Amino acid sequence: GNSVTQMEGPVTLSEEAFLTINCTYTATGYPSLFWYVQYPGEGLQLLLKATKADDKGSNKGFEATYRKETTSFHLEKGSVQVSDSAVYFCALRTGGGNKLTFGTGTQLKVEL
Amino acid sequence: GAVVSQHPSWVICKSGTSVKIECRSLDFQATTMFWYRQFPKQSLMLMATSNEGSKATYEQGVEKDKFLINHASLTLSTLTVTSAHPEDSSFYICSASGTSASTSTDTQYFGPGTRLTVL
C-alpha cells in the first residue's frame, strides 16, 4: 500500500534560517507528490506539488524536488520567516482518482 | 476563492448521543467531498468519499452505519456520528473538489476541522 513518512517535529528555527523537512514515500505506480500547509485555526492549503520524477514544485520561496531514485520529496526554504510557522504535511496521490495519502505532519516554529 | 467551512469548530457531547458536522464549499460547487479523521500526532486518515447525489464510498474499516455521510447538494456535506462513544473523540476534517474560475477538480480544498469530544 501507499505510505508517507515525515520527520517528527516540532522543528524550531530562528528567522532567516534554512529549512529542510524530510519526506519519503512508498507507493505503487507513479504517484503525484504534494506539500500542504496548515496555519493555526485554518484548513490545509496546497503549498506545492510535483507530478513526475525530477519535477520541482515551488511556491512562496518553498521548493521540493521529486526524487524517484530515493523516493523522496523533501521541502526546503532558504530563509524562513515567523509567518511560516505552521504544520506541514507531505502527501501522495496515485491512479486517476483524487484520494490522498498523508504523512503525520511536521510542526515548524520560527522565532525572532 | 476555494473556501471550505466546517461547523461547528468544536463540540462536546455525551456518550450515546449523535453529532452532526457540516462541511460547506462557500464559493464553488463541490462535486466531490472527502471526510478525514486525525488523531494526535498522526496523519489524516480518509474515512469516505462522497459525490453529490450519490452514496458515499467508505474506506476499509470505517463503519458506514456509525458515520453517516450525506452530500445532498453541491455545496453541503454532513457527517453524523451516531451513538457516539469516547473512542470517537477525534479531529474531523472535510475537503472538497470541484470546478470554478478559481478551482480545479484535481485539487482538494480543506476545511478547518471539527474537534469532537465524547464524554
Side-chain angles (χ1 to χ4, degrees):
Chain A
N2 297 337
S3 68
V4 177
T5 302
Q6 284 182 241
M7 59 190 293
E8 284 196 29
V11 173
T12 303
L13 296 173
S14 298
E15 201 170 43
E16 300 184 359
F18 185 87
L19 168 71
T20 299
I21 300 178
N22 290 337
C23 171
T24 58
Y25 66 89
T26 302
T28 54
Y30 301 96
S32 294
L33 302 173
F34 305 82
W35 277 101
Y36 281 83
V37 58
Q38 185 176 31
Y39 299 102
E42 299 182 17
L44 278 73
Q45 302 173 25
L46 179 63
L47 180 60
L48 54 84
K49 67 179 182 181
T51 58
K52 61 183 188 297
D54 299 326
D55 270 1
K56 177 185 285 187
S58 62
N59 186 23
K60 300 181 180 180
F62 291 90
E63 293 182 340
T65 301
Y66 189 142
R67 300 288 188 198
K68 184 180 176 183
E69 63 276 12
T70 54
T71 61
S72 65
F73 193 54
H74 305 321
L75 182 67
E76 297 181 336
K77 186 174 185 181
S79 176
V80 293
Q81 306 299 313
V82 172
S83 57
D84 293 326
S85 298
V87 180
Y88 293 81
F89 291 89
C90 186
L92 68 82
R93 184 181 71 210
T94 59
N98 204 359
K99 291 172 58 173
L100 294 168
T101 300
F102 285 90
T104 55
T106 301
Q107 184 176 14
L108 170 65
K109 297 179 181 178
V110 181
E111 302 172 335
L112 291 171
Chain B
V3 178
V4 176
S5 70
Q6 280 184 243
H7 178 79
S9 55
W10 59 270
V11 57
I12 301 173
C13 70
K14 293 182 178 180
S15 185
T17 61
S18 294
V19 174
K20 179 182 286 188
I21 302 170
E22 294 185 349
C23 176
R24 293 182 184 273
S25 57
L26 299 185
D27 52 3
F28 68 101
Q29 294 187 325
T31 50
T32 305
M33 285 187 167
F34 304 82
W35 285 96
Y36 295 84
R37 185 173 177 178
Q38 185 180 28
F39 294 100
K41 297 187 178 181
Q42 296 188 26
S43 61
L44 281 72
M45 302 300 296
L46 180 65
M47 299 174 66
T49 303
S50 72
N51 294 301
E52 185 265 338
S54 302
K55 289 185 178 180
T57 301
Y58 290 81
E59 295 299 300
Q60 192 172 14
V62 178
E63 299 176 60
K64 59 183 178 182
D65 294 331
K66 180 167 190 60
F67 299 100
L68 301 178
I69 292 172
N70 182 283
H71 189 173
S73 78
L74 285 171
T75 59
L76 173 65
S77 176
T78 60
L79 168 67
T80 302
V81 183
T82 62
S83 186
H85 291 283
E87 59 265 29
D88 299 323
S89 298
S90 192
F91 195 57
Y92 293 88
I93 301 172
C94 75
S95 70
S97 64
T99 54
S100 75
S102 58
T103 63
S104 60
T105 54
D106 67 346
T107 297
Q108 292 184 33
Y109 302 93
F110 286 80
T114 297
R115 173 76 59 194
L116 170 63
T117 302
V118 184
L119 301 176

